[in-house]
Amino acid sequence: MMNFLHNYTIVYYILIVLISIFITAFAIPSILHVARFRHLYDDLGHFRKTHDHGIPRLGGVAIFVGFTITSLLLCMTDKSLPINYLLTACIILFAMGLKDDLSGVNSSTKFIIQLIVCFILVVLGNIRLTSLYGVFGIYDLSYFLSVGISLLLILAIVNAFNLIDGIDGLAATTGIVANGAFASLFLYIHQYELAAVSLAMVGAIIGFLKFNITPAKIFMGDTGSLLIGLISAVMAIKFMEVNRVATGSSPAIYAVPAITFAILIGPIFDTARVFIMRISNGVSPFIADRNHIHHRMLKLGFNHIQTTLILTGINIISIITVVLFNNYGSSALIILIVAFSLIFNWSITFFIRSKERENLALRNLFV
């Protein structure tokens, strides 16, 4: 059976996505039933919540089940990805995320567990960056520098996906775009095993997204957002590494760091922005607020679907732009993406302030 699937690759990859979708979509109604029966709802009293009724936040359980079963059932075992370490890391992160969604986990415990997960992947699984392709003059990395950068990168991406999960559909569509893009690139450079893992995640998120589009019936919670972030981070590192290792000095795809950056620009830019703003205001970067880009777009009057579509569209445009102009080099393209992101952010600030001035003028007019 597996030989048949491997000989007919299109059927194989379509089957991966469909089975992952089916498992996730099949699991969610049962999760909804249990959540309602046990009153496992989101915290409505929190100032960052944008919904007016209780919604279960256990959708990540279905994403985990869909992704894990599909990966074990259909994904090929290969040296390009130590699937045993990857699934071990996923299970540990899933257990922590589930506890956090049900009863909460303090920040220090979450950090320690995430660090353990990163250690498993980077040190034991050897999933790490060994070169930055000359970005800003940095080429090969020493082992310890490679481990350090890889640990920080995985930690950053995992938490970045967790932080953008603030409105219906945003983290899910970002995960679909990121892993769909990585899958397409892996297929292009003939890394079929890695493409299969990415597509298993795409299918799991699609199965969940049906229930998360406004009006949302369920949230993915930390269980889902952390898992999506983890797989996206691993795929990012593997994309940069296999392209370099497989082809030596003549990579199959140029400007690999810039393409990777463009794929993950949404969560990376938003997280960096809010952290810098919190620190500059003398506040801990880990204290939650309503200053994320999606929150600010809601202030402008956009609804959840519109905000998600706009941010997803910008993400896709960034990827296409970098792919089309990859001959300009990663450093220049990364600077271009950051500049475009800053302009977009400043535009939101301008319109928010204009709207506030208009509202103030109207209030003064009727006083």
Side-chain angles (χ1 to χ4, degrees):
M1 177 62 177
M2 291 303 294
N3 288 333
F4 169 80
L5 293 175
H6 294 174
N7 291 330
Y8 294 89
T9 54
I10 295 178
V11 175
Y12 172 65
Y13 291 118
I14 291 175
L15 197 60
I16 287 175
V17 175
L18 291 179
I19 288 178
S20 189
I21 291 173
F22 173 78
I23 294 172
T24 305
F26 182 78
I28 286 180
S30 297
I31 294 171
L32 285 170
H33 174 75
V34 172
R36 288 165 184 159
F37 182 74
R38 297 291 182 182
H39 302 287
L40 304 174
Y41 295 121
D42 199 24
D43 180 13
L44 291 179
H46 198 281
F47 72 96
R48 297 176 72 237
K49 302 306 176 185
T50 58
H51 298 78
D52 58 3
H53 60 284
I55 299 175
R57 57 197 305 255
L58 296 174
V61 175
I63 295 174
F64 172 80
V65 170
F67 170 75
T68 304
I69 292 177
T70 305
S71 298
L72 290 171
L73 187 64
L74 290 177
C75 291
M76 296 176 276
T77 301
D78 188 84
K79 291 182 179 179
S80 62
L81 183 67
I83 197 72
N84 55 327
Y85 291 116
L86 178 64
L87 292 179
T88 299
C90 288
I91 292 169
I92 294 172
L93 204 60
F94 166 78
M96 184 199 73
L98 183 60
K99 185 180 185 301
D100 193 25
D101 290 333
L102 292 175
S103 60
V105 177
N106 65 63
S107 57
S108 58
T109 302
K110 289 174 73 172
F111 176 76
I112 291 171
I113 293 175
Q114 288 178 6
L115 202 56
I116 291 171
V117 165
C118 294
F119 179 86
I120 290 171
L121 292 172
V122 174
V123 178
L124 300 182
N126 202 36
I127 299 172
R128 57 187 178 86
L129 291 177
T130 59
S131 172
L132 293 185
Y133 286 82
V135 174
F136 306 123
I138 303 173
Y139 288 89
D140 291 343
L141 302 172
S142 66
Y143 176 78
F144 290 106
L145 186 58
S146 168
V147 168
I149 291 176
S150 301
L151 287 170
L152 289 174
L153 182 63
I154 296 174
L155 274 173
I157 295 174
V158 166
N159 286 285
F161 269 88
N162 184 229
L163 290 173
I164 66 166
D165 184 28
I167 61 173
D168 297 343
L170 180 57
T173 53
T174 303
I176 290 171
V177 170
N179 286 279
F182 283 130
S184 301
L185 292 165
F186 285 137
L187 289 173
Y188 179 74
I189 59 176
H190 310 298
Q191 292 291 330
Y192 303 116
E193 299 81 8
L194 294 170
V197 175
S198 293
L199 289 174
M201 177 53 71
V202 169
I205 302 172
I206 292 173
F208 162 80
L209 188 59
K210 173 186 173 183
F211 299 89
N212 188 237
I213 296 176
T214 303
K217 298 180 179 66
I218 193 169
F219 298 146
M220 68 171 63
D222 284 6
T223 310
S225 60
L226 294 175
L227 178 63
I228 295 171
L230 182 70
I231 299 303
S232 300
V234 170
M235 293 300 104
I237 291 175
K238 294 305 295 184
F239 171 62
M240 292 184 67
E241 280 302 295
V242 296
N243 188 63
R244 173 176 181 261
V245 172
T247 55
S249 60
S250 300
I253 299 176
Y254 290 90
V256 169
I259 294 174
T260 306
F261 186 69
I263 290 172
L264 299 171
I265 184 59
I268 289 175
F269 178 78
D270 186 53
T271 301
R273 178 189 153 275
V274 295
F275 272 36
I276 290 171
M277 289 194 66
R278 290 171 187 172
I279 293 170
S280 63
N281 292 328
V283 179
S284 168
F286 302 103
I287 293 179
D289 56 30
R290 287 182 59 85
N291 198 33
H292 290 279
I293 289 178
H294 52 267
H295 289 135
R296 301 173 77 229
M297 291 184 69
L298 293 179
K299 285 183 182 179
L300 290 175
F302 294 105
N303 59 34
H304 287 221
I305 292 179
Q306 291 168 339
T307 300
T308 294
L309 289 176
I310 291 170
L311 294 176
T312 302
I314 291 172
N315 191 179
I316 294 172
I317 290 171
S318 298
I319 297 169
I320 293 173
T321 301
V322 172
V323 171
L324 290 177
F325 297 98
N326 68 87
N327 56 310
Y328 284 89
S330 286
S331 298
L333 289 171
I334 289 173
I335 292 172
L336 177 66
I337 295 169
V338 172
F340 178 77
S341 300
L342 288 171
I343 292 170
F344 177 70
N345 178 61
W346 289 334
S347 300
I348 295 175
T349 302
F350 172 79
F351 287 116
I352 287 176
R353 290 177 179 173
S354 297
K355 187 175 181 179
E356 289 173 347
R357 284 194 295 267
E358 290 175 4
N359 292 336
L360 181 61
L362 286 173
R363 283 197 299 269
N364 292 335
L365 183 64
F366 291 101
V367 170

